[in-house]
C-alpha cells in the first residue's frame, strides 16, 4: 500500500526505511559483532562467510536466466517520485548480475586459493577483502530493488508469491548481509586509509 500514497509521502517512507536499514547495519557491524567476537559461534561461523561469494555467483547467473523475474522488482524511473538511473530496469538487472558474478567469484577464489595450496601474488592484495568490498558496494546499490519489492508488492523471480512481511524480513536481512560484507572488507578499507595517509 505504500505505493498508493502521495509521492512526497512515499519518498519520506523510503528515506526513513533507508536510514533505518543503515542504522541497523551499523548496529550489527559494530556492537553486535563486537559482542560476538571470540565466542564459539563467532569462531565457528566467521571462516565460512566467504562462501557468500557462491551465493552471489548463483544470484548473478540468475539475473541472466530469470531476467524478467528480476526486472519485475527493479524500480523504474520515477518510483517514489525520486528514483532515477540512466539505465532501463533490464540493463540494471544485467549489469548488477555481471557484478555479482565477478565479486562473488573473486571473493570465493580468494578464500579457496589457500585451501587449495595456491599462493596468491601480493600484487592482488587482500582478495577476499576486495571481493567483499565489491559486493558490499553492489548490495548498497541494489537495495532500492528490495525497497521497491516491499513498497510495490512485487514478486521475486520465478514469480514466487511474496507477502509484505516476507519482503520486510528480506529487507531486514539486508542489514545482516551488509554488516558481514563490511566485516570481510575491513582489510581493504584499512589499506585504502593507509594509502591515503589517513592512518
Amino acid at each position: 500500500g505504500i505505493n498508493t500514497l502521495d509521492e512526497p509521502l512515499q519518498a519520506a517512507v523510503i528515506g526513513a526505511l533507508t536510514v533505518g536499514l543503515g542504522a541497523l547495519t551499523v548496529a550489527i557491524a559494530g556492537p553486535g559483532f563486537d559482542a560476538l567476537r571470540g565466542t564459539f559461534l563467532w569462531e565457528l561461523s566467521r571462516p565460512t562467510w566467504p562462501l557468500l561469494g557462491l551465493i552471489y555467483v548463483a544470484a548473478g547467473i540468475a539475473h541472466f536466466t530469470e531476467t524478467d523475474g528480476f526486472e519485475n522488482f527493479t524500480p523504474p524511473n520515477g518510483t517514489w517520485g525520486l528514483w532515477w538511473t540512466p539505465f532501463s530496469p533490464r540493463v540494471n538487472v544485467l549489469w548488477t548480475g555481471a557484478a555479482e558474478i565477478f565479486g562473488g567469484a573473486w571473493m570465493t577464489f580468494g578464500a579457496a586459493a589457500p585451501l587449495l595450496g595456491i599462493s596468491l601474488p601480493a600484487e592482488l592484495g587482500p582478495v577476499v577483502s576486495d571481493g567483499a568490498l565489491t559486493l558490499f558496494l553492489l548490495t548498497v546499490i541494489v537495495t532500492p530493488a528490495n525497497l521497491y519489492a516491499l513498497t510495490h508488492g512485487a514478486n521475486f523471480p520465478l514469480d514466487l508469491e511474496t507477502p509484505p512481511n516476507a519482503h520486510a524480513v528480506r529487507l531486514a536481512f539486508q542489514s545482516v548481509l551488509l554488516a558481514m560484507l563490511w566485516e570481510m572488507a575491513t582489510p581493504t578499507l584499512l589499506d585504502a586509509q593507509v594509502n591515503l595517509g589517513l592512518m
Side-chain angles (χ1 to χ4, degrees):
I2 295 171
N3 60 320
T4 63
L5 302 173
D6 290 337
E7 286 186 344
L9 194 49
Q10 287 186 48
V13 170
I14 291 306
L17 286 171
T18 302
V19 168
L21 191 64
L24 183 57
T25 301
V26 169
I28 294 168
F33 285 169
D34 287 346
L36 290 173
R37 285 182 213 286
T39 66
F40 173 76
L41 180 62
W42 180 268
E43 299 301 324
L44 181 68
S45 70
R46 179 62 182 83
T48 67
W49 289 10
L51 292 176
L52 283 172
L54 295 174
I55 295 171
Y56 272 91
V57 169
I61 292 169
H63 279 231
F64 292 91
T65 61
E66 295 293 331
T67 306
D68 291 342
F70 279 91
E71 192 175 348
N72 182 49
F73 70 98
T74 302
N77 285 341
T79 302
W80 312 302
L82 58 81
W83 178 254
W84 184 86
T85 74
F87 307 115
S88 69
R90 180 164 290 263
V91 170
N92 282 329
V93 168
L94 296 176
W95 83 257
T96 56
E100 285 183 353
I101 293 168
F102 171 77
W106 191 239
M107 190 164 76
T108 303
F109 169 68
L115 299 175
L116 298 172
I118 300 171
S119 179
L120 299 176
E123 294 79 24
L124 289 180
V127 176
V128 170
S129 179
D130 290 348
L133 181 59
T134 300
L135 295 176
F136 174 85
L137 295 173
L138 179 64
T139 303
V140 169
I141 289 169
V142 302
T143 294
N146 292 295
L147 290 167
Y148 180 78
L150 174 67
T151 62
H152 288 69
N155 288 338
F156 283 129
L158 302 176
D159 206 27
L160 296 174
E161 235 5 88
T162 316
N165 57 348
H167 286 304
V169 169
R170 171 67 183 87
L171 193 59
F173 182 73
Q174 194 88 344
S175 291
V176 176
L177 186 59
L178 285 166
M180 292 170 75
L181 292 168
W182 182 261
E183 171 76 19
M184 287 187 284
T186 300
T188 290
L189 296 170
L190 292 175
D191 289 345
Q193 290 176 12
V194 168
N195 291 337
L196 292 172
L198 300 175
M199 292 187 71

